Amino acid sequence: MGGGNGVDGEGVGDEGARSAVRRRFAEAAREERPDLALLCLLIGAEAALGTQRNAAGDAAGEQEHTADDESALDRIVDEGQAELDRLAGLLPFERGRTPAQWARTLQQVLGEEQGFGGSSSDYQRLESSLLPEVLRRRRGLPILLSVVWTEVARRAGAPVYGVALPGHFVVGFGDPGASHVLADPFAGGKQLDEEELSVMVAGATGGTPLSAASLRPAGPLETVLRILNNIRAWASPRPEQSGVRLWAVELSLLLPHHPGRLRFERAQLLVERGEFIRGAREMEEYADIVATMEPNAAENVRRAARAARARLN
């Protein structure tokens, strides 16, 4: 199934769009130039504020908490942006830095002096995917540490961009089509040569060679969707964290482009959480969407919807 659009996603998650986080997230994702730091901070705010509103929520209660949610949200976003500004201010001023010099400066300040980095244990923590927590703990997944690197470097005027390698996220400095260097924030900002990159990609793909396509800059929305996918992957084997998986799916659906199958995943989660009628209804809506191109898949989804409704008997 192909990608969806933000309007469809918002229709699926009307209850989410009523929350302060969801509203701002949807608006930020539709900007001509999406603010990567803001979107990541809003993901962190979603986790911190616990805005897992669904059909079982009390609409009146949601209205009562709106002012409190807005105030807490402002604090999380403002503190995160201020910390990124502060870190950028720690970079010593120097005109005409080469890409390698920019990479070394970020390695020294963020990796060595500020202690940002990662280890295998960070993959087991939800906090490793939440920018406010990564800024606080100085630990995180490669993609979140790369967000810190790119956002701090961008504020300082560096030519910087994220690179979504298969299985790993790194940062590029310079011109991606000409002179550039790549650094690994997960390893404290270590610069990577072509051989190291080739080994990294081959290890993640089972032997696929390094290609130019692997090194292209990753856009903000692509990066955000990958972060949300990581959160979904973290929560998936943890049934007690179905609420986390649900809000990660719902935020993904608010992005202008997203995998259409996320609509079905959301419906399945609603059923798993006991919302049989709403889950079944959303399954049927999804089946109607895919019926023309995938009739067999649509019938399987309708069968799942009937099974969900039957659980009420």
Side-chain angles (χ1 to χ4, degrees), residues 154-299:
R154 180 182 63 80
R155 283 163 165 76
V160 64
Y161 54 94
V163 179
L165 294 174
H168 203 76
F169 208 99
V170 298
V171 172
F173 294 91
D175 182 346
S179 176
H180 68 274
V181 298
L182 297 182
D184 183 4
F186 193 69
K190 178 182 181 295
Q191 292 186 42
L192 301 166
D193 59 30
E194 186 170 345
E195 181 179 353
E196 289 170 316
L197 287 168
S198 297
V199 170
M200 188 178 291
V201 170
T205 62
T208 301
L210 183 67
S211 66
S214 301
L215 302 177
R216 66 175 180 81
L221 298 185
E222 175 187 352
T223 302
V224 168
L225 181 59
R226 185 156 165 167
I227 290 170
L228 290 168
N229 286 343
N230 286 342
I231 293 173
R232 290 168 49 230
W234 175 87
S236 184
R238 297 173 169 88
E240 73 280 6
Q241 298 292 347
S242 66
V244 171
R245 185 178 170 195
L246 180 60
W247 64 249
V249 169
E250 291 179 336
L251 287 182
S252 300
L253 288 168
L254 293 175
L255 296 173
H257 300 284
H258 54 259
R261 189 172 174 80
L262 285 177
R263 295 172 65 101
F264 181 53
E265 183 174 337
R266 181 182 189 275
Q268 288 178 304
L269 281 167
L270 291 174
V271 171
E272 289 175 15
R273 291 167 61 81
E275 298 184 46
F276 304 122
I277 294 297
R278 188 179 182 90
R281 184 167 64 245
E282 292 193 8
M283 286 181 183
E284 290 160 352
E285 291 171 356
Y286 177 74
D288 291 341
I289 293 172
V290 303
T292 301
M293 297 185 63
E294 303 177 54
N296 291 336
E299 180 52 37

Side-chain angles (χ1 to χ4, degrees), residues 27-157:
E27 292 169 355
R30 292 184 178 86
E31 292 289 338
E32 183 177 352
R33 296 184 177 180
D35 184 329
L36 176 59
L38 174 59
L39 287 164
C40 291
L41 290 168
L42 289 170
I43 292 173
E46 176 74 13
L49 300 177
T51 48
Q52 300 168 10
R53 295 183 173 91
N54 50 46
D58 184 324
E62 289 172 8
Q63 293 174 1
E64 290 173 3
H65 290 289
T66 297
D68 290 341
D69 285 354
E70 290 280 3
S71 177
L73 174 55
D74 287 341
R75 176 182 54 77
I76 292 170
V77 170
D78 291 348
E79 288 180 355
Q81 297 282 24
E83 177 63 3
L84 291 169
D85 291 342
R86 187 190 72 81
L87 292 169
L90 297 178
L91 300 179
F93 177 76
E94 181 181 330
R95 293 185 183 277
R97 280 194 180 100
T98 65
Q101 288 171 333
W102 272 115
R104 175 56 188 153
T105 299
L106 269 290
Q107 179 184 22
Q108 180 179 350
V109 174
L110 294 184
E112 297 173 8
E113 297 176 6
Q114 296 298 310
F116 282 95
S119 65
S120 58
S121 63
D122 292 305
Y123 283 88
Q124 306 305 316
R125 302 178 64 120
L126 174 61
E127 294 96 324
S128 299
S129 291
L130 307 175
L131 182 55
E133 290 298 312
V134 172
L135 289 171
R136 181 182 67 84
R137 298 176 57 242
R138 303 295 200 253
R139 314 296 298 175
L141 296 187
I143 190 169
L144 266 297
L145 292 166
S146 294
V147 169
V148 174
W149 248 253
T150 56
E151 288 299 304
V152 169
R154 180 182 63 80
R155 283 163 165 76

